[in-house]
Amino acid sequence: MNIYLIRHGRQNSTLCNVDVELSKEGREQADLLGKRLKTYDIEAVYSSQLIRAKETADIINSYLEKPRLIDERWQEADFGGMTGLTNEELKEKYGDFLAKRAQMTEDIPYPDGGENCQMIFERSFQALKDLTKEPYKNVCVVTHGGVLRALITGIMGADYAKWLTIGRQIENCSITHILYDEKVGTLRGKIIY
């Protein structure tokens, strides 16, 4: 099974993880990706429930016209109390957290109820495993940068504390191709830009 993990198009806000629509550029990115994916023989289009992911998936699916499903396990990392803040507010309110995280010595959760890499990996990897039980040969999932980093980190068996160094430059509307080998139950992957 080919699972094409897509990072949503560019969003319409610079605030930390707010649930907003795509920007004009993000819609254009999704449109170009939809045209490209017509050649991938996609059989179903999944996304998280967040607006930017749903909108990206809907634009892609306007070219594919396949079953369209939403799974909340593909949502972005829960940034806890950091959600909705500007970069300046983040530095002021959570400077100690940001400094500690930059040391990359432990997988600390985002403050005030947020997730850490292992938590993101566990929920998104379960969604990935559930996808492998579906009868499809080719699916695409529109998700988020934090989810992609956590999945890559966990699948590689890398240190969760270093997850932000993995796939640092995963661009909006890039494709991360995961190949699931049904015969032996293994995953392989690569990032396609």
Side-chain angles (χ1 to χ4, degrees):
M1 171 187 271
N2 293 295
I3 302 168
Y4 300 101
L5 301 173
I6 311 294
R7 184 178 180 198
H8 61 79
R10 184 154 296 148
Q11 64 188 29
N12 204 13
S13 176
T14 58
L15 299 177
C16 181
N17 197 36
V18 289
D19 193 12
V20 295
E21 297 176 349
L22 295 176
S23 65
K24 180 178 184 276
E25 182 181 12
R27 289 189 298 277
E28 290 169 356
Q29 291 171 324
D31 189 65
L32 289 170
L33 186 58
K35 291 174 184 174
R36 179 179 181 179
L37 289 174
K38 283 175 70 170
T39 64
Y40 283 55
D41 198 26
I42 302 293
E43 298 166 87
V45 178
Y46 289 77
S47 77
S48 85
Q49 80 285 10
L50 298 178
I51 295 168
R52 58 194 181 271
K54 287 192 308 186
E55 190 174 354
T56 302
D58 290 342
I59 292 169
I60 290 169
N61 203 35
S62 70
Y63 291 93
L64 306 178
E65 299 179 347
K66 299 299 179 183
R68 179 72 182 83
L69 304 119
I70 293 176
D71 186 333
E72 292 182 5
R73 295 174 295 177
W74 293 110
Q75 75 181 6
E76 181 57 291
D78 182 342
F79 284 74
M82 295 172 66
T83 302
L85 300 181
T86 65
N87 286 338
E88 294 76 28
E89 291 170 326
L90 291 171
K91 289 175 190 171
E92 182 180 319
K93 188 170 182 180
Y94 295 109
D96 291 343
F97 164 78
L98 295 171
K100 186 174 182 181
R101 184 182 69 176
Q103 294 173 1
M104 295 188 212
T105 57
E106 60 182 295
D107 182 24
I108 55 177
Y110 287 99
D112 301 326
E115 293 178 295
N116 64 10
C117 180
Q118 184 174 358
M119 295 163 75
I120 302 161
F121 171 74
E122 287 173 357
R123 73 168 154 81
S124 58
F125 190 66
Q126 186 59 55
L128 183 67
K129 288 193 321 189
D130 289 349
L131 264 183
T132 66
K133 298 172 189 169
E134 295 295 330
Y136 306 122
K137 297 218 181 289
N138 301 292
V139 298
C140 83
V141 177
V142 180
T143 187
H144 305 269
V147 171
L148 292 169
R149 285 182 193 94
L151 273 173
I152 293 167
T153 300
I155 290 170
M156 288 181 5
D159 182 353
Y160 289 127
K162 305 204 181 336
W163 75 298
L164 294 177
T165 64
I166 306 286
R168 189 80 174 144
Q169 300 301 321
I170 297 174
E171 297 292 334
N172 293 101
C173 282
S174 64
I175 302 169
T176 302
H177 178 198
I178 302 290
L179 176 64
Y180 174 69
D181 185 332
E182 295 90 353
K183 292 178 184 172
V184 291
T186 59
L187 297 166
R188 293 182 289 155
K190 65 181 174 181
I191 299 173
I192 306 169
Y193 290 100

